[in-house]
Amino acid sequence: MSRPSGHIPVFHSTVLDLLKIQPGNHVLDVTLGLGGHASSFLEANAPDGTLIGLDADTKNLDLAKDRLQIFQERFIGIHANFRELPSCLPDPIDQFDIIFADLGLSSPHIDDASRGFTFRASSSLDMRFDQATGKKASDLLMEESEEELKSIFQNYGEVKNARRLASHIVRERKTASLETSDSFNGLIENIFGYKTPSVLPQIYQALRIAVNDEQGSLAHLLSVLPSLMKPGARAGIISYHSLEDRLVKQAFRMLTTPTKDETTGQVSVPASFSLLTRRPILCDPSEATHNPRARSAVLRGLLRLS
Ligand SMILES: C[S@@+](CC[C@H](N)C(=O)[O-])C[C@H]1O[C@@H](n2cnc3c(N)ncnc32)[C@H](O)[C@@H]1O
């Protein structure tokens, strides 16, 4: 299978082993990215299986469409955020055999400094997956209240001294613009000094999660997931930080826990789902060496029983 250079889908063969895609399967990939996983799914569900792929980012979607055009009408690419499910689907009451999500950002987001995701280059602080809508990271820095900024850095980045950072931003923005990574990194350096290199990733991660409302979108996806799965369907979700994984773990646990009678303790309603992964799948050292982004990846799978 051909891959765009530099792009290795995370957990590539592990995902295929977990999802066990069959010829004819109807697949929904809610984070198409560059179409790496989707391309393998379309090979596995040949000759007549179909795949609908969503991406909030039009640039990635266009790259994926180019790559997947060889599958002709078996592939449909849609520009949508998965928080718009199911209304963004061609048929909103459609159900799938396979549903897959590979959350967060992709390598082009980091490689293209102009997108504002990386603290390693001079850029304007955008960080939106969908550049047609929503507030940029710089808008949050310039407009959000001190309390809101503090909770973004604390909750989404576990940044120590989040309050100090937030109050510094609010003071600084009265006289200076925080539109660029250079100006923001300078402010961070003033507060964190020699600790700056270790907090920069946490601070940028926190802003990115807030800009794209990643937690809200994931909560929505998890709430509609059961109704999008046919009986016998399999779902796999790859997350990259503990906040995401916690949401996935809790949602899967609720779906796979039977209802018990309060007095007898007997199962009154059996669960309609079971776990495909009793324990989360973590990346093995060889994959981490080849693909640094895989280091923090966690894969969980779900099966719809009835
Ligand atoms: C990790 S990449 C997916 C890579 C893909 N599995 C591959 O093999 O190329 C995540 C993709 O999901 C997109 N994305 C992130 N959050 C999204 C959301 N809420 N709705 C739709 N797309 C989203 C990003 O724009 C990015 O292209």
Side-chain angles (χ1 to χ4, degrees), residues 43-77:
E43 284 170 7
N45 72 0
D48 55 346
T50 48
L51 182 142
I52 295 179
L54 313 181
D55 207 293
D57 186 313
T58 47
K59 289 184 183 159
N60 280 356
L61 181 65
D62 287 345
L63 290 169
K65 279 183 172 171
D66 273 356
R67 179 183 194 178
L68 301 175
Q69 66 181 348
I70 51 166
F71 297 102
Q72 300 177 343
E73 68 280 357
R74 293 208 290 122
F75 163 68
I76 298 175

Side-chain angles (χ1 to χ4, degrees), residues 4 7-10 12 29-39 41 54-58 60-61 64 67 78 80-84 100-109 115 117 128-130 212-214 217-218 238 240 293:
H7 180 70
I8 309 160
V10 174
H12 180 247
D29 181 342
V30 300
T31 52
L32 194 57
L34 303 187
H37 285 106
S39 166
F41 299 163
L54 313 181
D55 207 293
D57 186 313
T58 47
N60 280 356
L61 181 65
R67 179 183 194 178
I78 298 174
N81 191 304
F82 55 66
R83 69 178 314 147
E84 296 158 51
F100 177 65
D102 179 13
L103 300 169
L105 78 182
S106 59
S107 23
H109 289 128
R115 299 296 301 267
F117 287 94
R128 290 170 300 168
F129 293 139
D130 186 349
N212 295 292
D213 185 22
E214 292 180 31
S217 300
L218 178 56
I238 305 178
Y240 292 89
R293 191 170 138 66

Side-chain angles (χ1 to χ4, degrees), residues 150-175:
K150 186 207 86 176
S151 69
I152 288 172
F153 295 125
Q154 202 163 56
N155 297 337
Y156 298 156
E158 295 175 70
V159 176
K160 294 199 178 90
N161 275 333
R163 176 166 296 289
R164 193 150 161 246
L165 174 60
S167 82
H168 226 76
I169 291 167
V170 170
R171 203 169 336 121
E172 192 80 4
R173 75 188 181 191
K174 290 185 185 141
T175 53

